[in-house]
Amino acid sequence: MSIFRSLKHHNFRLHFTGQAISLIGTWMQRVAISWLVYRLTESAFLLGLVTFLSMIPSLVLSPFAGSFIDRHNKFRIVMVTQVGLMIQAGVLAAMVWLNYYNMIWIAVLSLAQGLINAFDTTARQSLMGDLVDNKEDLPNAIALNSSAFNAARLVGPALAGIILSSFGEDICFLINFLSFIAVICCLSMMKLKLSTPSASGADIWTDLRKGYEYLKESPDLSSLIVMLAASSLLVIPYTTLLPVFAKDVFHGDATTFSWFESAAGLGALGGAIYMAMLRPGKDLVKITVMSSIVFAVALLGLAISSSMFMALLATAATGVGLMIQNSAINTYLQTHASSEMKARTLSYYIMSYQGMLPVGSLVIGYLAHIFGVNMVVFAEGIMGILIVLVFVMHQKGNTHAYWMKILHPMRSKHVE
């Protein structure tokens, strides 16, 4: 079974190509804005605040966005949001090029990016099922989409490190602005046959409640979403602190920071390739549990690393665990949610991931300012393990038997 089998579909191939190019620019902008904020302020708290502003709209607006997208043309929404993100990157580039280093405007632009992303991410995720003609290829398409994201996370920060050192943040923002041309061109060449959303007699708040009730009646879906929400609040925000590791713990510069981002991207790319190679029928819940454990243990390793090599190795391992965890949950939701509730289900997934992450980033940034980055990241690793334990206990009343099945799959298979 080919790892690239979903690329045979015309529309997904265009989507993959456009995203692969644009995401490199997106990651360059993420690295550049994080480095810019920390260079100007040297404050872990303000670093967390900018991340908070860029993602908090997902917490507030994602359920609304899911209901809105279920009522409207997903493709048109994606086109509009991509143009909006392009404009946001252009304004950032102009501001830095003019040496207008204003933290208030940086915060406003980060908030604007978050508002657009609340609709863009939900619309693109719910559009995935329409990009492949054979639904058996959907899990592979999701994994390849994640591969493009994480390949960009590998290449983007590496390029950003070079450009930041040689030219400055404004060039990174300009490249991101130009990269959206690829996405818009690819979207324009797609040949989609989207069914017109059925008109709903209920108002949007009623639709929101229906989405909540659907998840409440689907514990297999809701338990994974709650697990991801807890992880996004207490574990995943370690990513906000990578500039602090680079600059304060290992006394590096922008290039050092790009190494950490690239290490995480390399690990995540490996995790995405693993997910793309999975055959249909694999136990995605078991994969979620195991990857979450890898993620948490890797965080403990990062916290106690005494050398740059060990820290980068641990950061790569966090990328593996985080990538597989999120991809497995995403794939499970995409393949198990009903078609009429898919956008609303995915909106709760996005809310639990991108929505809770800014709250966690703000809290983690504040705690790191008080207690130090190593202690806080170590605590995040402990919390990651506890979250997995609670999830397992919720999934199975007989926790011991479930752990034996996970830790000894061959023995379990033999008994069966």
Side-chain angles (χ1 to χ4, degrees):
M1 186 177 294
S2 173
I3 188 176
F4 301 110
R5 61 187 179 276
S6 54
L7 289 177
K8 66 186 177 184
H9 303 286
H10 172 78
N11 292 320
F12 178 75
R13 187 165 60 249
L14 286 170
H15 167 82
F16 182 85
T17 303
Q19 286 296 307
I21 296 171
S22 179
L23 284 169
I24 293 175
T26 299
W27 274 107
M28 291 180 70
Q29 175 166 309
R30 287 190 184 188
V31 171
I33 201 166
S34 293
W35 186 256
L36 175 64
V37 170
Y38 198 65
R39 179 174 65 82
L40 294 176
T41 67
E42 296 189 349
S43 169
F45 173 72
L46 288 177
L47 192 62
L49 178 62
V50 169
T51 303
F52 173 84
L53 291 172
S54 68
M55 292 186 171
I56 190 61
S58 293
L59 176 62
V60 179
L61 294 178
S62 283
F64 170 81
S67 184
F68 179 84
I69 290 162
D70 275 336
R71 290 164 168 255
H72 296 84
N73 188 301
K74 294 173 283 190
F75 177 79
R76 291 178 183 174
I77 293 172
V78 171
M79 182 68 83
V80 170
T81 55
Q82 290 297 304
V83 172
L85 291 171
M86 183 180 185
I87 294 171
Q88 188 264 358
V91 174
L92 263 177
M95 186 180 72
V96 178
W97 184 66
L98 295 171
N99 292 320
Y100 188 68
Y101 296 111
N102 188 306
M103 279 302 301
I104 293 178
W105 273 108
I106 291 175
V108 168
L109 287 170
S110 296
L111 180 62
Q113 182 186 38
L115 290 169
I116 298 170
N117 274 331
F119 288 85
D120 177 71
T121 306
T122 306
R124 281 190 294 108
Q125 289 287 344
S126 61
L127 189 64
M128 286 293 293
D130 299 296
L131 299 178
V132 293
D133 301 322
N134 186 349
K135 298 310 175 186
E136 289 186 357
D137 291 333
L138 179 58
N140 178 259
I142 294 170
L144 281 184
N145 193 57
S146 297
S147 299
F149 179 86
N150 289 292
R153 187 178 182 180
L154 177 62
V155 176
L159 291 175
I162 297 171
I163 292 173
L164 284 172
S165 301
S166 304
F167 303 103
E169 295 92 349
D170 54 336
I171 302 301
C172 290
F173 299 143
L174 178 61
I175 291 174
N176 186 40
F177 170 80
L178 295 174
S179 72
F180 281 102
I181 296 174
V183 179
I184 294 170
C185 288
C186 287
L187 286 172
S188 301
M189 291 188 288
M190 285 186 182
K191 300 174 182 178
L192 286 173
K193 296 179 181 178
L194 295 178
S195 57
T196 304
S198 57
S200 173
D203 58 57
I204 199 165
W205 302 110
T206 302
D207 279 350
L208 281 173
R209 188 174 67 252
K210 287 181 179 178
Y212 173 78
E213 290 173 350
Y214 173 74
L215 286 176
K216 189 176 179 180
E217 295 170 359
S218 308
D220 60 321
L221 305 179
S222 59
S223 61
L224 287 170
I225 290 175
V226 170
M227 178 191 184
L228 183 59
S231 184
S232 297
L233 179 66
L234 301 170
V235 188
I236 300 176
Y238 88 98
T239 55
T240 304
L241 302 176
L242 290 180
V244 185
F245 271 99
K247 191 172 189 295
D248 293 348
V249 177
F250 293 102
H251 312 291
D253 54 15
T255 302
T256 311
F257 174 39
S258 72
W259 292 348
F260 276 93
E261 286 285 1
S262 294
L266 180 61
L269 178 60
I273 292 173
Y274 167 79
M275 290 299 295
M277 293 175 65
L278 280 182
R279 294 182 179 274
K282 290 291 184 179
D283 189 341
L284 292 173
V285 175
K286 183 189 296 185
I287 291 172
T288 299
V289 170
M290 296 306 297
S291 60
S292 300
I293 294 173
V294 170
F295 180 30
V297 172
L299 280 177
L300 297 177
L302 175 61
I304 63 175
S305 294
S306 57
S307 69
M308 175 75 73
F309 176 77
M310 292 304 299
L312 292 175
L313 191 63
T315 302
T318 65
V320 173
L322 178 57
M323 170 63 237
I324 296 177
Q325 177 200 60
N326 287 337
S327 183
I329 293 174
N330 188 351
T331 303
Y332 189 93
L333 297 178
Q334 292 260 21
T335 53
H336 287 75
S338 63
S339 57
E340 63 272 14
M341 288 289 180
K342 183 171 289 187
R344 271 168 279 190
T345 299
L346 290 172
S347 72
Y348 279 96
Y349 161 81
I350 293 165
M351 180 180 70
S352 66
Y353 180 33
Q354 295 187 359
M356 296 303 294
L357 187 56
V359 179
S361 296
L362 194 63
V363 173
I364 294 301
Y366 178 73
L367 292 176
H369 181 73
I370 297 176
F371 298 106
V373 64
N374 295 84
M375 183 178 295
V376 169
V377 171
F378 189 87
E380 286 184 279
I382 296 297
M383 291 305 302
I385 294 173
L386 292 177
I387 289 168
V388 174
L389 289 175
V390 171
F391 176 77
V392 170
M393 291 173 66
H394 176 268
Q395 288 291 103
K396 299 287 182 178
N398 189 345
T399 308
H400 177 74
Y402 188 59
W403 273 107
M404 288 302 99
K405 183 178 179 181
I406 290 177
L407 296 177
H408 302 288
M410 295 305 294
R411 178 182 176 186
S412 176
K413 183 178 179 181
H414 176 72
V415 170
E416 292 172 358

